[in-house]
Amino acid sequence: MIALAAPLLSSISGYWAGAFQDLSALPQLDVFDPASGALLATVPQMGALEARLAVESAAARLRSPPNLPERGRILSNIEAGLLAEQEQFAELITRENGKPLAEARAEVAYAAGFFRDARRHLDALQPKTLPTRPRGLTWRVHHRPAGVAALITPWNFPMGMLAKKLAGAIAGGCPSVVKPSEITPLSTIAWFAQLHALGLPPGLVNLVFGDAAAIGKVLCSHPAVRVLSFTGSTAVGALLSQQAAPHFKRLSLELGGNAPFLVFEDADLDTAVDALMANKFRNTGQTCVCANRVYVARAIAEPFVSAVAARVRALRAGPGMEAGVDIGPMIDARGYAKVHSHVQDALAMGATLVVGGSGDPAQRFFPPTLLTGITPTMACASEETFGPVIAISVFDDEDAMVQAADDTPYGLAAYVFTADRARADRVVAQLHFGHVAVNTGSGPTPEVPFGGFRCSGLGREGGAEGVMEYVELQTVPWGPAVG
Ligand code: ADP
């Protein structure tokens, strides 16, 4: 087992009723370092019973949720705590997820940003009195905590994805039950040790993990849970929607992406190449906003491909804890096998391998790869590859390129590169994606709402909208005063 230098990880367990629980009698799950396969830790495998206890702890807190000033203080303290222990959290993220340490540090800072931003929206949650008196009555609108929030997070940004949800839930006054991915639970457990030390009101935050399906069923069906916020695969998102539907829970789902990246002939080549490299290879291509389909105008295809090829060749893959590493390992053998199969499929269907290749499925580091000649029926065009592969198709005209880019059931992120403002406006309006970046590869930031169109999900995270996901509006008409 690797020794983890993380004082915050002294208790590895579930957390509810304001305390880490003694779950040593439960079966244990192994957590591995994806860069080496070494065992990092064992964690208790919780199930339905523990999920119910966690929900009940949250439900008890719902009877006296923090008021607005208290929420403000809690959000500030969490932001400060994340920044104070940025290095410790970053190391845990890199150990369990594999991403380069610099990216993990950025993730912790990104996480802190959601708490900073959520605090700014607390004023909007003050009760509002209608300035007019329809029906001769005084009308007030309250923003009530929606109920217990179940927050289910993935392995690719273990702290960033939780931060989006937790900041909104706390700002809205909702106690939450957090369920991190069993592949990367350690940074979340360490974060809970810090939340405990901050002295949060017992029951405001609770933590379970283990048998995801059993825990998920409880979270979807328990009457106290009113908001279900999930980031992960489309298949699991669909399952959770079905399970939650009979109970009419509010759903906030951030699912798969299949992002297109469009480069028109008038684009600034250096800008587009830089943006593609930063966007595509972050977290080894395992992000839902990273470019999955690259469409390039024929007039600039040759210089674009050769510039990208030079940059891909120069990438250094290695363990995220090592200095100078650009990309880390694949998260696991399943992730590796999917990327391998997408490359094989593309080559079998006539794509050209410019850099990299399919690698050895027994390895952990997939070679950074560049393919050209991609057609829509190839797996790497119709599904998210979720790995370090750039897949390029060449187009002759704007309409055809935009149609191909938009021809997907998904709608999370898209990227457009052009020097022509009118064209940018025209193309953005035709792309049915929740986030469309122009001349930048930037993903979302905590200050703005982010979420998907179509099968990429429901609801928004970040900005004022991300807080409102956790709030129910209660309208109160006041008749003549009594007594
Ligand atoms: P990925 O394939 O990227 O790992 P998943 O959708 O499987 O994405 O995982 C995202 C989150 O959903 C993780 O926390 C995982 O444990 C959880 N999860 C997986 N299956 C279920 C389920 N049946 N019910 C509830 N949560 C689940």
mmCIF file with all atom_site columns, all heavy atoms in Angstrom, residues 446-459:
data_model
loop_
_atom_site.group_PDB
_atom_site.id
_atom_site.type_symbol
_atom_site.label_atom_id
_atom_site.label_alt_id
_atom_site.label_comp_id
_atom_site.label_asym_id
_atom_site.label_entity_id
_atom_site.label_seq_id
_atom_site.pdbx_PDB_ins_code
_atom_site.Cartn_x
_atom_site.Cartn_y
_atom_site.Cartn_z
_atom_site.occupancy
_atom_site.B_iso_or_equiv
_atom_site.pdbx_formal_charge
_atom_site.auth_seq_id
_atom_site.auth_comp_id
_atom_site.auth_asym_id
_atom_site.auth_atom_id
_atom_site.pdbx_PDB_model_num
ATOM 1  N N   . PRO A 1 446 ? -17.142 28.969 -12.188 1.00 0.00 ? 446 PRO A N   1
ATOM 2  C CA  . PRO A 1 446 ? -18.200 28.924 -11.171 1.00 0.00 ? 446 PRO A CA  1
ATOM 3  C C   . PRO A 1 446 ? -19.249 30.022 -11.281 1.00 0.00 ? 446 PRO A C   1
ATOM 4  O O   . PRO A 1 446 ? -20.365 29.858 -10.812 1.00 0.00 ? 446 PRO A O   1
ATOM 5  C CB  . PRO A 1 446 ? -17.414 29.076 -9.859  1.00 0.00 ? 446 PRO A CB  1
ATOM 6  C CG  . PRO A 1 446 ? -16.058 28.554 -10.155 1.00 0.00 ? 446 PRO A CG  1
ATOM 7  C CD  . PRO A 1 446 ? -15.789 28.904 -11.588 1.00 0.00 ? 446 PRO A CD  1
ATOM 8  N N   . GLU A 1 447 ? -18.907 31.144 -11.928 1.00 0.00 ? 447 GLU A N   1
ATOM 9  C CA  . GLU A 1 447 ? -19.809 32.304 -11.931 1.00 0.00 ? 447 GLU A CA  1
ATOM 10 C C   . GLU A 1 447 ? -20.950 32.188 -12.932 1.00 0.00 ? 447 GLU A C   1
ATOM 11 O O   . GLU A 1 447 ? -21.831 33.057 -12.972 1.00 0.00 ? 447 GLU A O   1
ATOM 12 C CB  . GLU A 1 447 ? -19.016 33.589 -12.234 1.00 0.00 ? 447 GLU A CB  1
ATOM 13 C CG  . GLU A 1 447 ? -17.968 33.954 -11.190 1.00 0.00 ? 447 GLU A CG  1
ATOM 14 C CD  . GLU A 1 447 ? -16.675 33.137 -11.307 1.00 0.00 ? 447 GLU A CD  1
ATOM 15 O OE1 . GLU A 1 447 ? -16.516 32.361 -12.279 1.00 0.00 ? 447 GLU A OE1 1
ATOM 16 O OE2 . GLU A 1 447 ? -15.816 33.275 -10.412 1.00 0.00 ? 447 GLU A OE2 1
ATOM 17 N N   . VAL A 1 448 ? -20.926 31.162 -13.782 1.00 0.00 ? 448 VAL A N   1
ATOM 18 C CA  . VAL A 1 448 ? -21.962 31.082 -14.830 1.00 0.00 ? 448 VAL A CA  1
ATOM 19 C C   . VAL A 1 448 ? -22.741 29.772 -14.714 1.00 0.00 ? 448 VAL A C   1
ATOM 20 O O   . VAL A 1 448 ? -22.225 28.780 -14.208 1.00 0.00 ? 448 VAL A O   1
ATOM 21 C CB  . VAL A 1 448 ? -21.336 31.144 -16.252 1.00 0.00 ? 448 VAL A CB  1
ATOM 22 C CG1 . VAL A 1 448 ? -20.717 32.493 -16.516 1.00 0.00 ? 448 VAL A CG1 1
ATOM 23 C CG2 . VAL A 1 448 ? -20.332 30.017 -16.467 1.00 0.00 ? 448 VAL A CG2 1
ATOM 24 N N   . PRO A 1 449 ? -23.996 29.782 -15.212 1.00 0.00 ? 449 PRO A N   1
ATOM 25 C CA  . PRO A 1 449 ? -24.732 28.517 -15.241 1.00 0.00 ? 449 PRO A CA  1
ATOM 26 C C   . PRO A 1 449 ? -24.140 27.587 -16.295 1.00 0.00 ? 449 PRO A C   1
ATOM 27 O O   . PRO A 1 449 ? -23.786 28.035 -17.392 1.00 0.00 ? 449 PRO A O   1
ATOM 28 C CB  . PRO A 1 449 ? -26.153 28.938 -15.630 1.00 0.00 ? 449 PRO A CB  1
ATOM 29 C CG  . PRO A 1 449 ? -26.003 30.249 -16.319 1.00 0.00 ? 449 PRO A CG  1
ATOM 30 C CD  . PRO A 1 449 ? -24.791 30.913 -15.731 1.00 0.00 ? 449 PRO A CD  1
ATOM 31 N N   . PHE A 1 450 ? -24.028 26.319 -15.949 1.00 0.00 ? 450 PHE A N   1
ATOM 32 C CA  . PHE A 1 450 ? -23.492 25.339 -16.891 1.00 0.00 ? 450 PHE A CA  1
ATOM 33 C C   . PHE A 1 450 ? -24.379 24.101 -16.853 1.00 0.00 ? 450 PHE A C   1
ATOM 34 O O   . PHE A 1 450 ? -24.760 23.624 -15.785 1.00 0.00 ? 450 PHE A O   1
ATOM 35 C CB  . PHE A 1 450 ? -22.066 24.954 -16.488 1.00 0.00 ? 450 PHE A CB  1
ATOM 36 C CG  . PHE A 1 450 ? -21.487 23.861 -17.358 1.00 0.00 ? 450 PHE A CG  1
ATOM 37 C CD1 . PHE A 1 450 ? -21.066 24.139 -18.648 1.00 0.00 ? 450 PHE A CD1 1
ATOM 38 C CD2 . PHE A 1 450 ? -21.405 22.559 -16.891 1.00 0.00 ? 450 PHE A CD2 1
ATOM 39 C CE1 . PHE A 1 450 ? -20.557 23.136 -19.459 1.00 0.00 ? 450 PHE A CE1 1
ATOM 40 C CE2 . PHE A 1 450 ? -20.891 21.549 -17.696 1.00 0.00 ? 450 PHE A CE2 1
ATOM 41 C CZ  . PHE A 1 450 ? -20.472 21.840 -18.984 1.00 0.00 ? 450 PHE A CZ  1
ATOM 42 N N   . GLY A 1 451 ? -24.696 23.588 -18.051 1.00 0.00 ? 451 GLY A N   1
ATOM 43 C CA  . GLY A 1 451 ? -25.496 22.372 -18.112 1.00 0.00 ? 451 GLY A CA  1
ATOM 44 C C   . GLY A 1 451 ? -25.768 22.023 -19.556 1.00 0.00 ? 451 GLY A C   1
ATOM 45 O O   . GLY A 1 451 ? -25.337 22.734 -20.467 1.00 0.00 ? 451 GLY A O   1
ATOM 46 N N   . GLY A 1 452 ? -26.479 20.937 -19.757 1.00 0.00 ? 452 GLY A N   1
ATOM 47 C CA  . GLY A 1 452 ? -26.629 20.420 -21.112 1.00 0.00 ? 452 GLY A CA  1
ATOM 48 C C   . GLY A 1 452 ? -27.984 20.669 -21.735 1.00 0.00 ? 452 GLY A C   1
ATOM 49 O O   . GLY A 1 452 ? -28.978 20.825 -21.047 1.00 0.00 ? 452 GLY A O   1
ATOM 50 N N   . PHE A 1 453 ? -27.984 20.707 -23.076 1.00 0.00 ? 453 PHE A N   1
ATOM 51 C CA  . PHE A 1 453 ? -29.215 20.592 -23.855 1.00 0.00 ? 453 PHE A CA  1
ATOM 52 C C   . PHE A 1 453 ? -29.396 19.085 -24.113 1.00 0.00 ? 453 PHE A C   1
ATOM 53 O O   . PHE A 1 453 ? -28.480 18.293 -23.938 1.00 0.00 ? 453 PHE A O   1
ATOM 54 C CB  . PHE A 1 453 ? -29.065 21.265 -25.230 1.00 0.00 ? 453 PHE A CB  1
ATOM 55 C CG  . PHE A 1 453 ? -29.133 22.777 -25.248 1.00 0.00 ? 453 PHE A CG  1
ATOM 56 C CD1 . PHE A 1 453 ? -28.920 23.549 -24.122 1.00 0.00 ? 453 PHE A CD1 1
ATOM 57 C CD2 . PHE A 1 453 ? -29.394 23.436 -26.454 1.00 0.00 ? 453 PHE A CD2 1
ATOM 58 C CE1 . PHE A 1 453 ? -28.968 24.947 -24.187 1.00 0.00 ? 453 PHE A CE1 1
ATOM 59 C CE2 . PHE A 1 453 ? -29.446 24.824 -26.527 1.00 0.00 ? 453 PHE A CE2 1
ATOM 60 C CZ  . PHE A 1 453 ? -29.232 25.574 -25.394 1.00 0.00 ? 453 PHE A CZ  1
ATOM 61 N N   . ARG A 1 454 ? -30.543 18.728 -24.592 1.00 0.00 ? 454 ARG A N   1
ATOM 62 C CA  . ARG A 1 454 ? -30.850 17.370 -25.090 1.00 0.00 ? 454 ARG A CA  1
ATOM 63 C C   . ARG A 1 454 ? -30.431 16.291 -24.074 1.00 0.00 ? 454 ARG A C   1
ATOM 64 O O   . ARG A 1 454 ? -30.682 16.436 -22.876 1.00 0.00 ? 454 ARG A O   1
ATOM 65 C CB  . ARG A 1 454 ? -30.189 17.170 -26.463 1.00 0.00 ? 454 ARG A CB  1
ATOM 66 C CG  . ARG A 1 454 ? -30.616 18.273 -27.462 1.00 0.00 ? 454 ARG A CG  1
ATOM 67 C CD  . ARG A 1 454 ? -30.118 18.051 -28.853 1.00 0.00 ? 454 ARG A CD  1
ATOM 68 N NE  . ARG A 1 454 ? -28.745 18.500 -29.050 1.00 0.00 ? 454 ARG A NE  1
ATOM 69 C CZ  . ARG A 1 454 ? -28.179 18.707 -30.219 1.00 0.00 ? 454 ARG A CZ  1
ATOM 70 N NH1 . ARG A 1 454 ? -28.877 18.503 -31.336 1.00 0.00 ? 454 ARG A NH1 1
ATOM 71 N NH2 . ARG A 1 454 ? -26.930 19.109 -30.322 1.00 0.00 ? 454 ARG A NH2 1
ATOM 72 N N   . CYS A 1 455 ? -29.783 15.207 -24.560 1.00 0.00 ? 455 CYS A N   1
ATOM 73 C CA  . CYS A 1 455 ? -29.477 14.083 -23.656 1.00 0.00 ? 455 CYS A CA  1
ATOM 74 C C   . CYS A 1 455 ? -28.271 14.349 -22.763 1.00 0.00 ? 455 CYS A C   1
ATOM 75 O O   . CYS A 1 455 ? -27.804 13.438 -22.071 1.00 0.00 ? 455 CYS A O   1
ATOM 76 C CB  . CYS A 1 455 ? -29.233 12.802 -24.459 1.00 0.00 ? 455 CYS A CB  1
ATOM 77 S SG  . CYS A 1 455 ? -30.652 12.295 -25.395 1.00 0.00 ? 455 CYS A SG  1
ATOM 78 N N   . SER A 1 456 ? -27.725 15.564 -22.786 1.00 0.00 ? 456 SER A N   1
ATOM 79 C CA  . SER A 1 456 ? -26.607 15.861 -21.879 1.00 0.00 ? 456 SER A CA  1
ATOM 80 C C   . SER A 1 456 ? -27.084 16.269 -20.501 1.00 0.00 ? 456 SER A C   1
ATOM 81 O O   . SER A 1 456 ? -26.261 16.527 -19.626 1.00 0.00 ? 456 SER A O   1
ATOM 82 C CB  . SER A 1 456 ? -25.700 16.946 -22.470 1.00 0.00 ? 456 SER A CB  1
ATOM 83 O OG  . SER A 1 456 ? -24.945 16.396 -23.531 1.00 0.00 ? 456 SER A OG  1
ATOM 84 N N   . GLY A 1 457 ? -28.388 16.336 -20.299 1.00 0.00 ? 457 GLY A N   1
ATOM 85 C CA  . GLY A 1 457 ? -28.835 16.514 -18.919 1.00 0.00 ? 457 GLY A CA  1
ATOM 86 C C   . GLY A 1 457 ? -29.922 17.525 -18.706 1.00 0.00 ? 457 GLY A C   1
ATOM 87 O O   . GLY A 1 457 ? -30.537 18.027 -19.651 1.00 0.00 ? 457 GLY A O   1
ATOM 88 N N   . LEU A 1 458 ? -30.125 17.821 -17.432 1.00 0.00 ? 458 LEU A N   1
ATOM 89 C CA  . LEU A 1 458 ? -31.178 18.720 -16.976 1.00 0.00 ? 458 LEU A CA  1
ATOM 90 C C   . LEU A 1 458 ? -30.599 19.636 -15.918 1.00 0.00 ? 458 LEU A C   1
ATOM 91 O O   . LEU A 1 458 ? -29.760 19.205 -15.131 1.00 0.00 ? 458 LEU A O   1
ATOM 92 C CB  . LEU A 1 458 ? -32.289 17.935 -16.275 1.00 0.00 ? 458 LEU A CB  1
ATOM 93 C CG  . LEU A 1 458 ? -33.096 16.917 -17.061 1.00 0.00 ? 458 LEU A CG  1
ATOM 94 C CD1 . LEU A 1 458 ? -33.974 16.126 -16.104 1.00 0.00 ? 458 LEU A CD1 1
ATOM 95 C CD2 . LEU A 1 458 ? -33.958 17.639 -18.090 1.00 0.00 ? 458 LEU A CD2 1
ATOM 96 N N   . GLY A 1 459 ? -31.071 20.873 -15.880 1.00 0.00 ? 459 GLY A N   1
ATOM 97 C CA  . GLY A 1 459 ? -30.667 21.770 -14.807 1.00 0.00 ? 459 GLY A CA  1
ATOM 98 C C   . GLY A 1 459 ? -29.325 22.422 -15.076 1.00 0.00 ? 459 GLY A C   1
ATOM 99 O O   . GLY A 1 459 ? -28.668 22.155 -16.097 1.00 0.00 ? 459 GLY A O   1
#
